[in-house]
Amino acid sequence: MITVANPIYDIVFKYLMDDERIARTILSALLKKNIVKVAVRPHEYTNDKRDSLSVFRIDFGATVLEDDGHENLILIELQKTWLETETLRFRQYLGVQYQNPKNMVGDDRDQHALPMVAVYLLGHKVGDIEEPVIYVRHHAYDYNEQRVTRGLPNAFVDSLTHESVIVQIPRLHGQINNRLDKILSIFDQTRKDADNAHVLFLDDSLYNDDDEMKLILHRLLMAAADADVRQDMNVEDEYFSIIEKRDTEIMMLDKKLAQKSVQLAQTVAQLEQKDAQLEQKDAQLEQKDAQLEQKDAQLEQQEVLLQTTIRMLKQNGFSDEQIASSLNISQDEVARLTAHKKM
């Protein structure tokens, strides 16, 4: 077993990819193509917006030897992150490449963009996709969903679309079944030291028959022994520790805000319920007032009727006593009704 620097760290990965031969080896395995030449393009190493999650990016110009013997120049946009980040950032980086006039070839009459392949080395899982490496490739279809192959590849079509390779580093579990598995085994985080995430333990006997892998291991051994590299790894740890703390605080704040939003919604609902109850009570009171007004009108109508009856009885010579007995009311009531409206 040998102890090597962990290439999940940006500084180690940069140190590794600075070697042109190693870069060709890794990119050839990822793209499953024979890359005979690779060059880092201007503004290659970027850790944009250090106040947010890091996305480490390298842009390569690669010469690919195709099966028919001709060479083809392509652009490789390699992005690596070891924490989850938003998809928008990846799209923004791709947008920069699409807009860069340096990625155009040909003359004014026949100008087209270099074919581009986007490679993502992710330090996190992508949903429920279980495969550690997936290839996203574009194809052309006609209206009837029949695949179009005649005339393709085509410079115009390839200028407007790109293929992708997505590597989920947490899905690497030490199994080596092919060339790419062997290359990616140096990223397998199940091999890292439990007490020191800066280093991995690798069984060098697995690579004895592979000169390219020996070169990669030697490079990682050199990185582990380099004091500047180790210091930069410490800086990355401190940086991401701050980022994780900040994200935890943001997550807790979001949780509290969500709880307050729920409480506010409940309060609003309770107030609306109380308002509805008050409106219902107001409606009931209005109904009672209407009923009382109706009863008052009925009583007033009955009183007018009694007064009319009493007047008629008095005109016919009935006494108050006889009227009270006839109408089943008291003599006082007869007197009141008589006094209320003079007969």
Side-chain angles (χ1 to χ4, degrees), residues 226-337:
D226 190 301
D228 291 336
V229 171
R230 294 200 304 270
Q231 176 58 31
D232 282 345
M233 293 169 77
N234 288 328
V235 171
E236 283 191 49
D237 281 337
E238 292 176 6
Y239 167 71
F240 283 112
S241 175
I242 293 172
I243 289 296
E244 289 176 341
K245 181 180 178 181
R246 185 202 66 181
D247 289 346
T248 300
E249 291 174 351
I250 291 175
M251 182 178 66
M252 295 302 296
L253 180 60
D254 288 343
K255 184 177 180 180
K256 289 180 180 179
L257 288 175
Q259 290 175 343
K260 288 185 178 180
S261 295
V262 171
Q263 292 172 352
L264 180 60
Q266 291 175 342
T267 301
V268 170
Q270 291 172 351
L271 290 174
E272 289 178 349
Q273 184 178 5
K274 288 181 179 180
D275 287 342
Q277 291 173 347
L278 288 174
E279 289 178 359
Q280 185 178 4
K281 288 182 179 179
D282 288 341
Q284 291 173 347
L285 289 174
E286 289 178 359
Q287 185 178 5
K288 288 181 179 179
D289 288 342
Q291 292 173 347
L292 288 174
E293 289 178 359
Q294 184 179 7
K295 287 181 178 179
D296 288 342
Q298 291 173 348
L299 289 174
E300 186 177 349
Q301 186 177 7
Q302 289 176 357
E303 191 167 284
V304 170
L305 180 62
L306 283 173
Q307 288 173 340
T308 301
T309 304
I310 291 172
R311 184 176 67 252
M312 292 175 61
L313 291 174
K314 279 185 173 291
Q315 290 174 352
N316 286 295
F318 283 79
S319 65
D320 286 354
E321 183 179 358
Q322 290 174 323
I323 293 173
S325 177
S326 175
L327 298 178
N328 198 24
I329 60 175
S330 67
Q331 291 187 43
D332 291 338
E333 183 69 6
V334 172
R336 184 187 72 78
L337 290 170

